[in-house]
Amino acid sequence: MNIDIPVWKDPQGGIVACVEKIKVMNENLEELQQMAQDALEDAILMGCDEMQVKDFLVRLMQSLHNPYQP
C-alpha cells in the first residue's frame, strides 16, 4: 500500500525545504506505516476484528502529544 506523502510544512505554513529533514520524516512515516500494517495483519490472523484494530490505531495516533510544547 502506498500513501501520498504530503509536502511538509512548518507551524506557520511555510514549506520545510531541508532535504535531510524531509528524508528523515518520510522514512519514519514509511516505517510507521509498515509497523501498523504488520500489527493489523497479525491481529486479523489472531482473530481480532479488523475495524476495532483500525479504530484503535487511529485513537493511538490521536493520543500522541508534543513533548516540546510549553
Side-chain angles (χ1 to χ4, degrees):
M1 174 186 142
N2 289 328
I3 189 165
D4 291 332
I5 296 178
V7 173
W8 299 112
K9 297 184 179 180
D10 64 26
Q12 291 74 38
I15 294 174
V16 175
C18 175
V19 174
E20 195 60 33
K21 288 179 182 179
I22 294 168
K23 179 181 173 187
V24 169
M25 184 67 178
N26 292 348
E27 287 174 355
N28 286 346
L29 292 175
E30 287 170 7
E31 290 176 20
L32 181 59
Q33 189 275 333
Q34 187 59 57
M35 289 176 61
Q37 182 67 43
D38 292 345
L40 176 64
E41 290 174 12
D42 288 348
I44 292 169
L45 288 172
M46 292 185 284
C48 297
D49 180 70
E50 177 180 351
M51 287 311 300
Q52 182 185 23
V53 175
K54 287 180 177 181
D55 289 342
F56 176 79
L57 291 172
V58 168
R59 288 194 321 274
L60 179 70
M61 293 295 105
Q62 291 171 336
S63 74
L64 298 176
H65 70 280
N66 179 352
Y68 307 107
Q69 198 172 35

